[in-house]
Amino acid sequence: MRSTNIKGPIGTIHIIKASPPVTAAESEALPVVFVHGMAVSASIWEAQLARVARTRRAIALDMRGHGDSAPPEDGNYAPASCAADVLAVLDGLGLDRVAIVGHSFGACIALATAASAPHRIIAQLILADPPGDFTKVPAEVHEARIVLYQRALETEDWRAAVETSFNEALTGSRAQTRDRILAWLAATPRDCLCGMYRGMFPFEAVDALDRYLAAPGTLVHAIIAPSNTFPFSLHILRPTLTTTTIADTGHWLMLDAPEAFARELDICLESV
């Protein structure tokens, strides 16, 4: 694997690249781009990069404000703005078509990227435990849960609120996953965490999914944890979205069950 930097809309974007031994067949295989979620970095995909790079190019980004990528000076972590970073990487690497794997908030970024440029991600979009569409939450629930959480993020107790949220998402995770995610979380600045939450809650994920699927030849699959059964989950709002559930995992399922997750990736990527 190799690390390099690419110039993006707001500054440096750090990426990790892995490539297979070049053969005529493998050189035509669609590259895969991995997009991580909140508080982590491209290194969360190490096992998947190694697996995918057996047969095709694999790239993982440090999203803005994470890892070695530059943070936005204006605090803008909206999925559409982060999507511009993904497209900058595709341009910088000269990639016309790719498959994208996005986890958690990274799934929102992947959806925003795909909706804005379906011709670039026309073959496959893989959503790893996507957070759903919070704009579809009933008004009373939005007021009681989301608004209160957003208010907590603006107080001195913001980190406790975020830690509670992450611990809920870690339900069902392995101890090693819990330790790794909480260590990453502790090292993530407030501007980054709160900025991503501000970007996620108003993101119209269903609309982005519909716009992407309106383009000919597009394909989406979700790989989810058992807990992803909310009324606003994407596969519940759009029952035609095919899913695979990986048992005995929490939200960071690629860490909890790397082999099972890799097998699902292989199945999704068979035709591209």
Side-chain angles (χ1 to χ4, degrees), residues 101-115:
V101 182
H103 172 250
S104 191
F105 186 79
C108 296
I109 298 170
L111 280 165
T113 308

Side-chain angles (χ1 to χ4, degrees), residues 129-142:
D129 214 39
D133 191 327
F134 290 96
T135 70
K136 305 302 182 184
V137 172
E140 63 275 12
V141 177
H142 183 272

Side-chain angles (χ1 to χ4, degrees), residues 111-125:
L111 280 165
T113 308
S116 67
H119 59 289
R120 302 291 294 271
I121 310 98
I122 198 166
Q124 182 68 271
L125 179 61

Side-chain angles (χ1 to χ4, degrees), residues 197-210:
Y197 277 115
R198 292 188 195 103
M200 179 176 69
F201 289 133
F203 178 60
E204 296 178 329
V206 166
D207 177 68
L209 177 62
D210 289 346

Side-chain angles (χ1 to χ4, degrees), residues 127-191:
L127 306 176
D129 214 39
D133 191 327
F134 290 96
T135 70
K136 305 302 182 184
V137 172
E140 63 275 12
V141 177
H142 183 272
E143 188 69 25
R145 296 293 301 272
I146 295 176
V147 171
L148 286 181
Y149 187 70
Q150 289 175 308
R151 288 173 181 166
L153 295 180
E154 305 302 325
T155 71
E156 294 181 357
D157 295 328
W158 68 273
R159 187 168 287 279
V162 172
E163 288 174 352
T164 297
S165 178
F166 269 62
N167 275 304
E168 289 175 356
L170 283 162
T171 299
S173 290
R174 298 188 306 164
Q176 299 95 318
T177 299
R178 174 179 294 274
D179 291 344
R180 190 175 180 187
I181 293 302
L182 292 180
W184 255 320
L185 177 62
T188 304
R190 179 179 189 173
D191 288 350

Side-chain angles (χ1 to χ4, degrees), residues 19-38:
S19 300
V22 177
T23 68
E26 288 166 347
S27 65
E28 296 177 0
L30 204 69
V32 181
V33 175
F34 292 89
V35 185
H36 67 76
M38 291 184 188

Side-chain angles (χ1 to χ4, degrees), residues 221-272:
H221 185 76
I223 306 172
I224 63 175
S227 60
N228 197 338
T229 56
F230 305 104
F232 55 89
S233 294
L234 284 184
H235 63 287
I236 292 176
L237 292 170
R238 288 294 182 269
T240 55
L241 174 60
T242 61
T243 65
T244 302
T245 301
I246 300 182
D248 302 319
T249 59
H251 183 52
W252 288 269
L253 61 182
M254 81 290 284
L255 296 181
D256 287 328
E259 287 301 316
F261 188 84
R263 286 194 295 271
E264 293 305 321
L265 279 185
D266 287 346
I267 293 170
C268 289
L269 296 170
E270 276 179 356
S271 61
V272 297

